[in-house]
């Protein structure tokens, strides 16, 4: 029952579609522009850097709030499995972001929400996540590639640290369940990025730049 409650809590928080709401406030449905995705990257490309940053922080915050809510509700009664319940709350938020019922289940891809999960889950995961994502992004300017590497890294780190005993008090069955939930989230992320993967393999994936100056500099280097 605790797991279901955390999933529901997360899903409710995930329904706050930052990109969609921001777009509507500016007279558009973001899903009808660019890649059609209601997420940070598409908002950045369609509406600019300011919009992208606001959407990013909104999507991160809703997952953090879902995890914090689950922690506040269950930390005194289920301390032994609190990390498992945090993962369920985060999974619910990512599902709510990706598949909002009131938008006909057409949302985003869940990467910003995943960043919120990592930030709220355990501090040990933050440095590796930052290095993986930004290392890939600033090197290649492919948000999708950075996102995919981030997820793979998070899953691997989850299993390694879990088996090393970082989650004190959790039983092996609980750890295994947490690995399974993380694996499901990873597979879902790769599925949501299936078109990006095809474009990465064919060399046609679109690059993302945080400013026109960076874009012009990179293009100059490529053409020089």
């Amino acid at each position: 029952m605790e797991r279901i409650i955390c999933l529901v809590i997360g899903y409710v928080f995930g329904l706050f579609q930052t990109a969609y709401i921001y777009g509507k406030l500016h007279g558009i449905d973001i899903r009808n522009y660019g890649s059609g995705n209601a997420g940070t990257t598409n908002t950045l490309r369609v509406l600019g850097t300011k919009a992208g940053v606001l959407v990013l922080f909104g999507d991160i915050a809703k997952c953090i709030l879902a995890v914090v809510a689950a922690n506040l509700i269950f930390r005194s009664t289920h301390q032994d499995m609190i990390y498992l319940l945090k993962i369920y709350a985060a999974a619910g938020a990512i599902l709510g972001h990706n598949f909002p019922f009131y938008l006909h289940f057409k949302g985003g891809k869940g990467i910003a929400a995943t960043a919120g999960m990592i930030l709220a889950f355990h501090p040990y995961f933050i440095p590796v996540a930052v290095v993986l994502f930004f290392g890939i992004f600033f090197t290649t300017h492919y948000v999708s590639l950075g996102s995919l590497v981030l997820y793979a890294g998070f899953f691997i780190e989850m299993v390694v640290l879990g088996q090393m005993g970082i989650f004190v008090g959790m039983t092996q069955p609980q750890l295994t369940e947490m690995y399974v939930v993380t694996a499901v989230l990873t597979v879902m992320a790769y599925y949501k990025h299936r078109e990006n993967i095809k474009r990465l393999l064919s060399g046609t994936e679109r690059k993302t730049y945080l400013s026109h100056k960076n874009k012009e500099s990179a293009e100059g280097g490529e053409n020089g």
Side-chain angles (χ1 to χ4, degrees):
M1 179 59 73
E2 297 84 7
R3 295 164 174 79
I4 295 175
I5 292 173
C6 287
L7 273 173
V8 172
I9 289 172
Y11 188 81
V12 170
F13 275 102
L15 291 177
F16 186 84
Q17 286 291 321
T18 318
Y20 176 79
I21 294 171
Y22 188 95
K24 280 297 184 181
L25 290 175
H26 290 77
I28 69 168
D29 183 340
I30 193 66
R31 299 172 303 162
N32 294 331
Y33 294 82
S35 67
N37 183 58
T40 298
T41 304
N42 195 39
T43 303
L44 175 67
R45 290 170 176 168
V46 174
L47 295 173
T49 302
K50 177 183 176 181
V53 170
L54 289 174
V55 169
L56 172 66
F57 280 107
D59 288 344
I60 288 175
K62 67 188 180 187
C63 195
I64 291 178
L65 290 173
V67 173
V68 169
N71 184 59
L72 289 174
I73 294 170
F74 292 109
R75 67 183 178 185
S76 61
T77 57
H78 295 77
Q79 186 60 42
D80 61 321
M81 59 184 295
I82 194 63
Y83 286 106
L84 177 60
L85 296 180
K86 285 182 177 182
I87 282 292
Y88 272 104
I94 294 169
L95 287 171
H97 174 80
N98 290 356
F99 309 106
F101 72 90
Y102 67 97
L103 295 179
H104 305 291
F105 303 99
K106 185 182 178 183
K109 295 180 180 177
I111 300 304
T114 297
M117 172 180 69
I118 294 172
L119 289 171
F121 180 67
H122 196 293
Y124 277 21
F125 289 79
I126 298 173
V128 173
V130 170
V131 170
L132 286 178
F133 179 80
F134 287 105
I136 294 294
F137 173 67
F138 286 126
T139 301
T140 67
H141 294 285
Y142 291 131
V143 174
S144 56
L145 183 59
S147 302
L148 294 170
V149 172
L150 169 69
Y151 246 113
F154 179 66
F155 174 67
I156 293 170
E157 193 178 11
M158 175 73 78
V159 175
V160 171
L161 293 182
Q163 294 307 115
M164 288 176 62
I166 190 176
F167 305 114
V168 179
M170 290 187 68
T171 64
Q172 187 58 50
Q174 290 172 340
L175 286 170
T176 301
E177 183 179 353
M178 190 162 64
Y179 304 156
V180 170
V181 174
T182 307
V184 170
L185 291 175
T186 303
V187 170
M188 182 172 66
Y190 274 70
Y191 175 76
K192 294 286 285 185
H193 284 81
R194 60 193 183 280
E195 295 301 323
N196 301 88
I197 294 173
K198 291 178 183 177
R199 290 193 294 270
L200 284 168
L201 293 174
S202 65
T204 58
E205 176 72 330
R206 181 177 176 182
K207 294 185 178 183
T208 298
Y209 299 89
L210 299 181
S211 70
H212 289 296
K213 181 178 180 180
N214 289 339
K215 181 177 180 181
E216 290 169 358
S217 176
E219 290 178 345
E222 291 174 356
N223 297 326

